[in-house]
Every structure is written in structure tokens, then in C-alpha cells.
Amino acid sequence: MTFLTLTKIQKSFGPVQVVRDFDMTIEKGEFISFLGPSGCGKTTILRMIAGFETPSGGNININGKTQANLKPNQRNIGMVFQAYALFPNMNVFDNVAFGLKIAGKPAAEIESRVKEMLGLIRLDHLADRFPYQMSGGQQQRVALARALAPKPQVLLLDEPLSALDAKIRVSLREEIRMIQQQLGITTVFVTHDQEEALSISDRIVVMNAGRADQIGTPFDIYNKPATRFVASFVGTLNLIEATVVDPAANRVSIGDQGITLREPLGAVKAGDKVSLALRPEAGSIAEGAKGDTALTGEVVSSNFLGSVIRTRMKVGDAVISFDMFNAPGLKPPAVGEIATLRFTASDLLIIRE
Ligand SMILES: Nc1ncnc2c1ncn2[C@@H]1O[C@H](COP(=O)(O)OP(=O)(O)O)[C@@H](O)[C@H]1O
Ligand SMILES: [Mg+2]
């Protein structure tokens, strides 16, 4: 069931348009991530959903109701920000109770709801602590509990993990996802971190300069990037420039190596350039491999990254990265060696936009 609909949303600040023709329908209980670089309009869209900014055009609808004339406090939306925006002079209990008190709930109901929320974030034992007595990760869990306590119809999270260190970030994102699923709450999560978005979302919106470049499942966004922007932003994709040799036969060359693509080239002519994408994990080293699913080049670097070894190889003007899983006895090719990378035909995508 569609729960949150954004229709043709526009937003300008003075002469500068920062959100354009933004369309999106979000299902009840869905976890959506807005993924994009800094300044692409993610926060602005969240703020419009929450009612802190007014769209310059378009409409926002939640649970069948237009939000156009509703103030933020009439929208029943929970929000968590990057900086731990807890009230510094209130302890954990009072922070979580805040929204319930504002809503005029009776004390007994507040007490039991706050306890429930603190149980949910596993901080029951810290109800008396003040924000300055807690780690960043704990503070963000309290911020989450505070946002959820009034039973909002939508939860908005604006880069809630960006200020935390790497290990906490990973554990807290999993906790957020678990709690979200447990409550079945419709959630929009903003991040500029592709791994974060890929790991916890039902669907991802990849944003580019105020627009949605692609909306899809993590699997689709990663494996079938719709645009060059998505391809380069999500993952460490190789973008390889190839020259069309024979359009009718889908034949291109990369440096002096000819390849027949599986996907039709479409309306191009000999000599045109086309962009091809290849995931670093798509290939493997295969001595003597030849033909349309192999490229040979000189190894220019090899980096041990723990679980994988990332090797870069020069083919014509292109430098192609590929990953090999670490394994005892693995012998990655050495810098300066000539190596052949083999992949499957369907791994080589044509990027058209
Ligand atoms: N109140 C404002 N007045 C003027 N420009 C703004 C305002 N808020 C945001 N912007 C501009 O809008 C663009 C999008 O900002 P924002 O939504 O914060 O991006 P993101 O959250 O993706 O980093 C940026 O160029 C930013 O400078
Ligand atoms: Mg932002």
C-alpha cells in the first residue's frame, strides 16, 4: 500500500533550484534511502516532508492526506539528525519523554512508553544519564527512541551515523534496520555512504543535483546502474571508454583489443566512443584467456585490502581495477607483469546516459 507520495516536488532558494521534478511513492513499512553527494538536495526533501520547508511546487501526501497546509507538529513525523540533537539539560528519560509530554499524555502512559522505547534501544539502565555522559552511538540511540516514542507515522533520518566511528556506524545501522522492521515504520534514511544505503534499504533513490537519477532495490542500483552518475557513485565501478569498430556487429575496441558486446550498441557509428562499465569483482585472472570476455594488460598496482586484493591493470588508455578474494596460496599478479582478466559477457554493461 502506498503510504508516502512525493509528486513533482520542486524547491528553489531564491533563483537557485535545488530540487527538481522529484517523484516517489513509498510503501507502508518500507525503508528508503536517499543516496547522493553533499548538496544534492537530500536534507531539503526531508525537511519538506517534515514541514520545515515549503515546496515551491508539487505535493506531498501521507496516508492519503495532503500535507500542504499542515505545520510540522501536525504531521506526526519522527526525525533524527546527524548531530545528536538531544536536550543537553535533560536526562535520557526526559529526552525520550519529551514528545509525549508535549502531546499531553498522562504520566503513567509516558512512563510505560519511555520504558518500552529504552528497552527497544537497550538503554534501560541509562535512563538517568545526561547526554554528556554518553558515547555518540548511545546518544543517537536515544535520539532514535525520542523520535519513535510518539508513534510517528513516518520516520526521517538525516545522516544519523555520519558523526560516528566506523565500527559503531555498522552496528548502529543494523540496529536501526532491525528496529524499523520490528515496528514496521515507513522510513526515509539519508546518507552519502553507498555501503550504508546498499546494506539496509528496501529501495534506494540515487540523487544527482536535485533529481532522482535512479530508484531501485540495492541489487538493481548496484548491478544495473541507469546512468554514468549512478555507476560512478555506487561502488567502485570501472568506467571504460571504448571505440566503436562495427556497430552492426556490436564490435568495439579497448586500446588495440577488439570485443563483441552482448548488448546491442544501438544508434552509433564507427569511431564513436561508448562507455562500458565493469565491476571490479566481475573478473578473474585467467592465463591465456582470449576473445570477447578477456582483456590483457600490464599490472600497474596491487593493494591488499584484507578480504580482497585489488589489482589495477592498464588496457589501452583505460585502467581497470579488479578484485580477487583473499585465500591462502593466492598469487596475485605482480606489478609490471602482463595479465589477462576474464569476465562473462553480461558483466560488461553499456552506460548510455
Ligand atoms: N535555506 C537555504 N537557503 C539557501 N540555500 C539552501 C538552503 N538550504 C539548502 N540550500 C542549498 O540547497 C542545496 C541542497 O542542500 P541540501 O538539501 O542540504 O543537500 P544535501 O542534504 O544533499 O547535502 C545546497 O546547494 C544548499 O546550499
Ligand atoms: Mg544533508
Side-chain angles (χ1 to χ4, degrees), residues 13 18 37-44 53:
F13 291 109
V18 300
S38 175
C40 71
K42 305 179 297 293
T43 294
T44 302
E53 297 284 357

Side-chain angles (χ1 to χ4, degrees), residues 231-301:
S232 59
F233 194 75
V234 181
T236 39
L237 195 72
N238 292 295
L239 278 176
I240 305 164
E241 188 167 89
T243 307
V244 176
V245 175
D246 179 356
N250 300 319
R251 190 88 187 145
V252 300
S253 67
I254 300 169
D256 58 1
Q257 298 174 53
I259 282 204
T260 300
L261 299 174
R262 192 149 104 168
E263 219 183 314
L265 272 166
V268 291
K269 53 186 191 309
D272 283 357
K273 302 288 182 193
V274 290
S275 291
L276 305 176
L278 183 68
R279 295 278 170 209
E281 66 272 29
S284 59
I285 290 290
E287 284 315 319
K290 284 198 173 57
D292 295 332
T293 55
L295 287 166
T296 298
E298 184 184 338
V299 172
V300 293
S301 70

Side-chain angles (χ1 to χ4, degrees), residues 193-271:
D193 180 325
Q194 47 101 0
E195 187 193 302
E196 216 165 87
L198 290 169
S199 65
I200 56 174
S201 313
D202 290 313
R203 284 188 299 154
I204 297 173
V205 183
V206 183
M207 288 189 58
N208 177 13
R211 286 181 206 274
D213 246 37
Q214 187 172 0
I215 301 177
T217 61
F219 188 87
D220 282 347
I221 296 282
Y222 191 86
N223 290 308
K224 295 176 221 153
T227 67
R228 186 186 308 265
F229 177 83
V230 175
S232 59
F233 194 75
V234 181
T236 39
L237 195 72
N238 292 295
L239 278 176
I240 305 164
E241 188 167 89
T243 307
V244 176
V245 175
D246 179 356
N250 300 319
R251 190 88 187 145
V252 300
S253 67
I254 300 169
D256 58 1
Q257 298 174 53
I259 282 204
T260 300
L261 299 174
R262 192 149 104 168
E263 219 183 314
L265 272 166
V268 291
K269 53 186 191 309

Side-chain angles (χ1 to χ4, degrees), residues 36-44 46-47 82 158-159 190-192:
S38 175
C40 71
K42 305 179 297 293
T43 294
T44 302
L46 275 205
R47 288 175 55 81
Q82 173 178 344
D158 193 356
E159 312 226 18
V190 162
T191 181
H192 62 266

